[in-house]
């Protein structure tokens, strides 16, 4: 895969975009779901647009939308007692860089996508900072291309918002850019709706976290450390509508399931097979579940903070890879069904203990970006030709496909030899014989 050329910056870059009118100078409390250690990273998006928008227009609209979304112009800090993160809503501003790259939209699509490579990092200005908390929560770069198109890259601190929240913010910016006067959804800032109970009451088991059960450290090995100890390559597979229907047929007619459930089951199985894990090993699937409407009362409309919890399905490897997909889908459905108001409250109370961490040692983590409306973003020049993450990681993403709203692109990074096995297992079901074998289990 070819490397991208260097970005050319003119003048003093980057600039700080501050809210266009005064905003509340206050501290925004972050919930236990926001400041959990697992989320201390930035969500990084890459958008390719065929038609560019002038940087002055984008800066002006950003300044206006930051009046409503003023925490994005603040800075994250540790609270005085040292136990939690909070946002100092000081209006210092979002980082905005603009550059030029000698490439066309079509060249990017033909030569560089859909698999991210390290040279893509050139498309997002690197803020010099001592640590993650010193980086402003919103960093943007617009790169203008030779053909008149542009690439927009964003880094949004995950402690401030989840995927739904990032989409809400970006669409609010697009709304302001196209000069529409009122936001489609007003942001709801307060996180106190997710306060822990006093005293905390952990009423459910939470196998997705360490410290909740006694683990025999000799019984398994740490998949996460194993993967991060060697060079990784991105694996990207696109599942069309017909592919997804064929997957669903492996469960029909006795089990109704969603596209996410069957694709997650298939990906989890293929991941375990490609890693050639010990058959007796217990592995987990962690996947985000939007709980905004599962609480009683529901979270307010416009809540952009982290409004998800990780559901956890568990299986021995031999049951996962040697059994049929029906039972894997069923375990995912059961994990989703466990996400109730009381389960969410129990999770929030559990996270009062700051030693509790997400268990990634034996887990595949799946995050779904494909149903958030991210691919619908229109800053005034049309919807994107391409949308995806700026980087690839060991965590799995279900991504939207710009030209097909019903298709899903699966992406994760693994060692190169594992990538080849993963690609084999992920498409094996398309073979007629294998497909019949799957159906024979139902």
């Amino acid at each position: 895969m070819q490397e991208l050329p260097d970005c050319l910056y003119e003048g003093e870059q980057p600039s700080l975009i501050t809210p266009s009118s005064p905003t509340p100078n206050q501290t925004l409390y972050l919930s236990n779901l926001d400041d959990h250690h697992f989320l201390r990273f930035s969500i990084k998006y890459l958008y390719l647009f065929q038609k560019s928008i002038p940087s002055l227009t984008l800066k002006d609209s950003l300044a206006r939308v930051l009046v409503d979304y003023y925490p994005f112009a603040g800075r994250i800090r540790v609270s005085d007692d040292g136990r939690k993160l909070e946002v100092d809503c000081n209006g210092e501003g979002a980082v905005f860089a603009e550059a030029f790259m000698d490439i066309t939209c079509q060249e990017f699509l033909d030569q560089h996508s859909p698999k991210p490579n390290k040279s893509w990092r050139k498309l997002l200005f690197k803020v010099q900072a001592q640590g993650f908390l010193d980086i402003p929560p919103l960093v943007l770069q617009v790169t203008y291309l030779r053909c008149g198109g542009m690439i927009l890259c964003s880094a949004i601190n995950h402690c401030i918002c989840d995927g739904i929240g990032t989409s809400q913010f970006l669409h609010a910016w697009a709304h302001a850019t196209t000069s529409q006067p009122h936001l489609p959804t007003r942001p709801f800032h307060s996180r106190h709706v997710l306060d822990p109970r006093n005293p905390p009451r952990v009423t459910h088991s939470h196998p997705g976290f360490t410290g909740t059960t006694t683990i025999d450290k000799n019984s398994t090995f740490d998949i996460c450390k194993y993967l991060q100890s060697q060079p990784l390559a991105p694996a990207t597979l696109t599942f069309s509508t017909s592919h997804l229907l064929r997957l669903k047929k492996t469960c029909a007619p006795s089990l109704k399931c969603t596209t996410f459930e069957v694709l997650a089951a298939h990906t989890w199985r293929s991941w375990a097979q490609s890693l050639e894990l010990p058959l007796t090993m217990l592995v987990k699937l962690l996947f985000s579940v939007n709980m905004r409407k599962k609480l009683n009362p529901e979270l307010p409309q416009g809540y952009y903070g982290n409004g998800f919890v990780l559901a956890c399905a568990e299986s021995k490897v031999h049951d996962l890879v040697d059994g049929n997909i029906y039972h894997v889908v069923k375990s995912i459905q059961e994990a989703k069904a466990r996400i109730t108001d009381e389960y969410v409250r129990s999770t929030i109370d559990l996270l009062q203990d700051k030693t509790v961490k997400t268990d990634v040692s034996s887990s595949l983590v799946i995050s779904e970006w494909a149903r958030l409306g991210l691919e619908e973003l229109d800053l005034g020049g049309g919807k994107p030709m391409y949308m995806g993450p700026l980087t690839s990681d060991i965590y799995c993403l279900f991504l939207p496909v710009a030209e097909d709203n019903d298709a899903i692109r699966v992406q994760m990074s693994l060692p190169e030899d594992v990538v080849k096995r993963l690609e084999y297992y992920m498409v094996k079901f398309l073979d007629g014989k294998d497909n019949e074998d799957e159906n024979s289990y139902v």
Side-chain angles (χ1 to χ4, degrees):
M1 185 174 291
Q2 294 188 30
E3 285 212 353
L4 290 172
D6 290 337
C7 284
L8 302 175
Y9 297 94
E10 288 188 4
E12 291 190 13
Q13 297 288 344
S15 55
L16 282 176
I17 308 300
T18 57
S20 61
S21 59
T23 56
N25 188 355
Q26 62 188 33
T27 298
L28 177 67
Y29 161 88
L30 295 178
S31 77
N32 285 351
L33 299 181
D34 291 321
D35 81 345
H36 184 47
H37 199 272
F38 185 62
L39 298 187
R40 296 193 181 186
F41 64 92
S42 292
I43 305 172
K44 296 178 180 177
Y45 297 138
L46 183 151
Y47 284 95
L48 175 69
F49 294 100
Q50 190 167 18
K51 184 179 178 182
S52 63
I53 306 299
S55 63
L56 286 176
T57 301
L58 294 173
K59 290 178 181 179
D60 175 70
S61 59
L62 180 61
R64 284 185 281 117
V65 84
L66 285 175
V67 175
D68 290 287
Y69 285 86
Y70 57 88
F72 288 73
R75 296 295 182 266
I76 294 180
R77 66 187 181 193
V78 179
S79 61
D80 290 339
D81 63 11
R83 284 183 53 81
K84 288 186 68 63
L85 298 182
E86 59 189 21
V87 184
D88 179 10
C89 300
N90 54 20
E92 283 191 22
V95 175
F96 188 100
E98 54 185 295
F100 172 80
M101 182 175 282
D102 189 15
I103 192 174
T104 67
C105 290
Q106 200 57 50
E107 286 170 350
F108 180 85
L109 290 172
D110 293 343
Q111 301 172 18
H112 302 281
S113 71
K115 293 184 180 181
N117 66 60
K118 289 182 179 180
S119 71
W120 284 24
R121 297 175 188 177
K122 299 175 182 179
L123 293 163
L124 183 66
F125 189 90
K126 186 175 182 180
V127 177
Q128 299 300 317
Q130 288 187 334
F132 170 67
L133 295 182
D134 301 309
I135 300 172
L138 177 60
V139 180
L140 299 162
Q141 178 170 319
V142 175
T143 304
Y144 295 98
L145 310 181
R146 188 173 72 239
C147 61
M150 72 175 188
I151 292 175
L152 167 67
C153 284
S154 62
I156 304 174
N157 192 304
H158 207 328
C159 297
I160 287 185
C161 56
D162 59 8
I164 290 173
T166 62
S167 182
Q168 181 180 310
F169 168 76
L170 290 171
H171 279 281
W173 182 24
H175 199 79
T177 305
T178 53
S179 300
Q180 300 177 56
H182 301 293
L183 292 179
T185 304
R186 302 291 299 181
F188 187 89
H189 299 292
S190 176
R191 312 296 163 93
H192 287 294
V193 289
L194 296 180
D195 277 350
R197 294 172 289 198
N198 187 15
R201 299 196 307 275
V202 180
T203 55
H204 286 66
S205 62
H206 297 276
F209 295 97
T210 59
T212 60
T213 55
T214 303
I215 298 172
D216 179 3
K217 293 183 179 179
N218 297 319
S219 66
T220 184
F221 70 97
D222 192 317
I223 298 172
C224 182
K225 288 182 179 177
Y226 160 72
L227 293 175
Q228 292 178 336
S229 68
Q230 53 194 303
L232 302 176
T236 301
L237 297 108
T238 299
F239 288 79
S240 67
T241 307
S242 61
H243 294 156
L244 295 170
L245 285 173
R246 286 183 71 175
L247 259 183
K248 279 189 175 184
K249 284 181 180 177
T250 61
C251 289
S254 56
L255 181 64
K256 290 185 178 180
C257 61
T258 65
T259 296
F260 173 83
E261 289 163 357
V262 73
L263 186 57
H266 180 59
T267 303
W268 189 23
R269 295 178 81 197
S270 301
W271 170 83
Q273 288 173 303
S274 64
L275 286 170
E276 298 178 338
L277 300 172
L279 293 178
T280 57
M281 182 177 177
L282 181 69
V283 290
K284 302 174 184 179
L285 174 68
L286 305 180
F287 57 97
S288 52
V289 175
N290 177 18
M291 53 73 171
R292 284 166 170 78
K293 294 186 180 299
K294 294 182 180 293
L295 293 184
N296 184 20
E298 296 178 359
L299 286 182
Q301 185 179 14
Y303 187 89
Y304 62 88
N306 285 284
F308 76 93
V309 291
L310 288 175
C312 178
E314 298 178 284
S315 175
K316 289 288 182 70
V317 171
H318 63 78
D319 293 328
L320 189 62
V321 302
D322 294 336
N324 63 73
I325 198 171
Y326 176 101
H327 296 295
V328 184
V329 171
K330 195 75 175 169
S331 70
I332 291 172
Q333 292 178 336
E334 290 168 353
K336 285 174 68 176
R338 286 193 288 271
I339 310 300
T340 60
D341 175 86
E342 180 57 33
Y343 186 94
V344 174
R345 299 293 175 188
S346 178
T347 303
I348 293 168
D349 290 353
L350 172 72
L351 293 176
Q352 275 291 90
D353 179 354
K354 300 306 176 185
T355 65
V356 171
K357 292 183 170 61
T358 304
D359 181 14
V360 294
S361 64
S362 59
S363 306
L364 172 65
V365 181
I366 295 180
S367 180
E368 186 175 28
W369 292 11
R371 299 290 182 261
L372 304 180
L374 292 165
E375 72 282 9
E376 301 293 320
L377 186 69
D378 186 348
L379 292 163
K383 294 178 183 179
M385 303 173 71
Y386 174 87
M387 183 275 152
L390 180 66
T391 58
S392 183
D393 204 338
I394 61 172
Y395 306 124
C396 179
L397 297 175
F398 285 2
L399 301 167
V401 179
E403 65 275 12
D404 185 351
N405 288 340
D406 294 320
I408 295 176
R409 197 166 77 249
V410 178
Q411 182 178 296
M412 72 179 93
S413 284
L414 294 164
E416 281 194 21
D417 59 326
V418 180
V419 167
K420 291 174 183 175
R421 292 198 295 270
L422 178 75
E423 290 171 342
Y424 167 77
Y425 288 117
M426 287 288 278
V427 301
K428 184 182 176 186
F429 78 99
L430 293 172
D431 176 78
K433 184 177 185 300
D434 289 320
N435 207 37
E436 289 171 6
D437 289 343
E438 287 277 10
N439 277 309
S440 69
Y441 292 114
V442 178

